[in-house]
Amino acid sequence: MWRNSFSSALFNRATCERNALLRNVDSFVSHQKYKKGETILGIAREKTHRSYLSDELSRKFVQNERQEFLLHLASELAEQFHETADTIDQEGRFPFENFQKLKDYNYQSLTVPKQYGGEEISLYEFLLMQERLSQGDASTALCIGWHLGVIYDLRERQTWDSEKFKWLCHEIVQNKMLINRLATENGTGSPTRGGKPETVAIKRNGKWVITGRKSFASMAIALDYSLVTATIQESGKVGSFLVDHRLHGVKVEENWDMIGMRGTRSDDLVLDQVELPEDALVELDQLESPKGNMGRAWLLHVPACFLGIAIAARNYAISFASEYQPNSLPSPIKDVPEVQRKIGEMDLELLKARHTLYFVAHRWDTHPEKRMEMSGELAAAKHIAVNSANKVVDLAMRIVGARSLQKSNPLQRYYRDVRAGIHNPPMDDAVISLLAAQALQSFH
């Protein structure tokens, strides 16, 4: 049974809470009538309405009972994270309490192979859960997405020594450890542009000595391990080294000063003469091997996260339009044609982006023999999803108006957060160039 890795108690609890939620939603939808001039619902009703809108959108892509359960797990966590998302953003702190809840549900082990105690979720399921989770708190979702994505990628490519990968999976499942890939440096820019790491690895007395600095190190202060790219001084090749953050010389420089995705705490990781065992070199010039050249489908967790932000903005705008009635109108602004047009445009963008994203994910899962040819599709899915997400948030703010810029309004946070997606690889220009190159190559 697919539920084996989750306790019976957890499943029963999740099922009971889901059924209770649906009963409340049915009652809410059947009996709630907006009163003239009423602009604010009670907290409980607001939460129910928001959750209802979110779950209804997500269920459109649920294909079976397993996915229904996984979605409910993400939904339950998203509702909890929603309560503290604004505080985390304002304080610019890492959401340790959210990660404790994720670990309580063994969320960190979802992409681990079943043979090593994980749930071995598919790419499609991964995106479904991440999109829903980010509607609660995008910073939390993006961070755990990096962790889950690393394990998913290693599981699919199988380029590691099998015993080393088994050990890492044990650390994640049993000890609830967190990992991320750290490749970006100030001097090289995005690693997808081909810059060579200035972080250096030197072989000395049978050990590796790593010195350098990595920027945009999401959840650096919460990581237990990281995969750090470094240029090997002797050969000039680029290797990925498994770094234990408890080692001497590893420290986090807390310099994350962004206005968006503040809770990710993507600070700098500093490595000062860090000594690693010889087997810490786990990858060497991966792009030179066929498996290394296989499209990195796991990165689709990024657009899934930003679509989640867009959905949260869309739901807020719809709720607002259904409730807000200025004294110049006989009914709430949802009846104004221009507002309806903007709502329709939001859903059109979401339909386009989500169907593209989930189609590509399904194709990846069900046709592994075609994966080597899917780089263009993967890149296009990211491009479409992130740009559509930005358009949706903009439209939502236009519906709500000047109130959307109030510090207490979540739309201004959604706007700051969703912009970050544009700067995650692959960049828009690179996607367009890739598609053009593929089209021209096919012609010749």
Side-chain angles (χ1 to χ4, degrees):
M1 286 289 289
W2 57 264
R3 287 181 208 150
N4 284 348
S5 64
F6 293 99
S7 68
S8 298
L10 173 58
F11 177 77
N12 292 335
R13 171 186 168 192
T15 302
C16 290
E17 289 181 355
R18 173 183 174 276
N19 291 338
L21 173 63
L22 291 177
R23 285 195 298 271
N24 289 337
V25 167
D26 289 340
S27 175
F28 173 79
V29 172
S30 299
H31 301 294
Q32 174 63 32
K33 295 184 182 296
Y34 296 105
K35 298 178 181 178
K36 184 176 181 179
E38 184 177 33
T39 60
I40 301 177
L41 292 173
I43 294 176
R45 287 186 293 168
E46 182 184 355
K47 177 179 178 181
T48 304
H49 195 201
R50 184 188 65 252
S51 178
Y52 172 76
L53 289 172
S54 294
D55 290 343
E56 281 302 292
L57 278 182
S58 296
R59 287 196 184 95
K60 293 179 185 294
F61 292 92
V62 169
Q63 301 170 321
N64 51 50
E65 182 191 9
R66 168 187 163 97
Q67 291 177 10
E68 178 74 20
F69 175 73
L70 292 172
L71 176 63
H72 176 70
L73 173 62
S75 180
E76 181 179 336
L77 287 164
E79 288 305 307
Q80 295 179 48
F81 298 165
H82 175 83
E83 302 303 318
T84 57
D86 186 59
T87 301
I88 289 168
D89 172 70
Q90 289 185 24
E91 296 176 358
R93 63 175 176 82
F94 186 79
F96 284 103
E97 66 272 36
N98 290 352
F99 270 76
Q100 185 56 56
K101 291 174 183 176
L102 289 168
K103 292 178 180 182
D104 289 343
Y105 282 87
N106 287 323
Y107 199 99
Q108 86 290 341
S109 66
L110 285 172
T111 52
V112 171
K114 289 181 180 179
Q115 68 185 107
Y116 300 142
E119 193 60 26
E120 200 171 327
I121 61 173
S122 67
L123 178 65
Y124 189 99
E125 292 165 341
F126 182 21
L127 305 187
L128 188 71
M129 298 184 77
Q130 288 300 107
E131 182 192 69
R132 183 64 185 92
L133 193 68
S134 68
Q135 293 169 52
D137 180 49
S139 290
T140 298
L142 187 63
C143 284
I144 194 63
W146 290 123
H147 162 86
L148 291 172
V150 167
I151 303 305
Y152 176 88
D153 185 47
L154 295 177
R155 184 188 92 198
E156 293 299 303
R157 288 190 296 120
Q158 299 181 16
T159 55
W160 275 32
D161 173 77
S162 59
E163 287 301 311
K164 193 73 172 180
F165 181 57
K166 179 181 179 180
W167 169 84
L168 179 61
C169 290
H170 179 273
E171 285 285 270
I172 291 168
V173 174
Q174 300 299 324
N175 299 324
K176 303 182 186 296
M177 299 295 196
L178 297 173
I179 189 171
N180 195 4
R181 281 190 180 274
L182 306 182
T184 303
E185 299 181 4
N186 287 333
T188 61
S190 171
T192 60
R193 300 289 189 181
K196 207 166 189 179
E198 294 180 350
T199 298
V200 176
I202 301 173
K203 196 72 170 289
R204 183 186 300 160
N205 299 325
K207 293 184 178 181
W208 293 105
V209 180
I210 311 291
T211 300
R213 174 188 291 262
K214 295 296 179 180
S215 56
F216 291 94
S218 294
M219 60 176 172
I221 56 177
L223 289 175
D224 300 291
Y225 298 99
S226 59
L227 286 170
V228 173
T229 54
T231 299
I232 299 174
Q233 189 179 65
E234 185 179 27
S235 65
K237 292 187 175 183
V238 175
S240 292
F241 294 82
L242 183 62
V243 177
D244 186 332
H245 282 217
R246 293 167 294 189
L247 291 173
H248 178 72
V250 179
K251 68 175 183 178
V252 175
E253 185 174 306
E254 298 187 21
N255 55 2
W256 185 240
D257 188 29
M258 298 291 181
I259 63 170
M261 303 299 282
R262 288 166 53 75
T264 64
R265 291 307 310 178
S266 301
D267 298 300
D268 282 8
L269 184 76
V270 180
L271 303 110
D272 183 15
Q273 299 286 309
V274 179
E275 290 191 357
L276 303 175
E278 192 170 8
D279 65 354
L281 176 60
V282 289
E283 298 170 352
L284 183 62
D285 280 348
Q286 287 287 299
L287 295 180
E288 292 182 1
S289 67
K291 288 186 177 181
N293 270 320
M294 185 171 65
R296 299 298 174 95
W298 70 280
L299 288 173
L300 289 184
H301 82 89
V302 175
C305 174
F306 289 103
L307 278 177
I309 297 172
I311 291 171
R314 174 257 193 194
N315 293 345
Y316 182 92
I318 289 176
S319 296
F320 179 87
S322 300
E323 300 157 13
Y324 178 62
Q325 181 184 342
N327 59 17
S328 59
L329 295 177
S331 62
I333 64 171
K334 67 182 178 65
D335 297 325
V336 175
E338 179 59 21
V339 171
Q340 292 179 356
R341 184 180 70 83
K342 287 182 170 64
I343 291 173
E345 287 182 353
M346 287 194 299
D347 275 22
L348 184 60
E349 289 294 335
L350 287 173
L351 278 168
K352 174 180 67 177
R354 299 177 79 217
H355 276 275
T356 299
L357 185 69
Y358 286 112
F359 171 80
V360 172
H362 180 72
R363 180 169 154 85
W364 176 272
D365 287 336
T366 56
H367 295 285
E369 75 281 1
K370 297 181 179 179
R371 291 178 178 179
M372 296 295 289
E373 307 167 3
M374 290 185 64
S375 59
E377 294 171 71
L378 295 170
K382 186 269 180 180
H383 183 287
I384 293 169
V386 169
N387 282 283
S388 287
N390 274 270
K391 291 177 184 177
V392 169
V393 176
D394 181 72
L395 286 164
M397 295 183 78
R398 290 174 186 269
I399 291 170
V400 175
R403 289 177 178 82
S404 65
L405 294 175
Q406 291 175 331
K407 287 185 177 180
S408 60
N409 192 300
L411 282 178
Q412 54 81 24
R413 169 164 46 89
Y414 299 150
Y415 180 80
R416 289 183 285 110
D417 284 350
V418 80
R419 298 294 299 177
I422 298 172
H423 308 292
N424 276 274
M427 311 308 181
D428 284 1
D429 65 302
V431 174
I432 300 303
S433 296
L434 172 64
L435 294 176
Q438 290 182 342
L440 293 171
Q441 185 177 22
S442 298
F443 178 77
H444 289 295

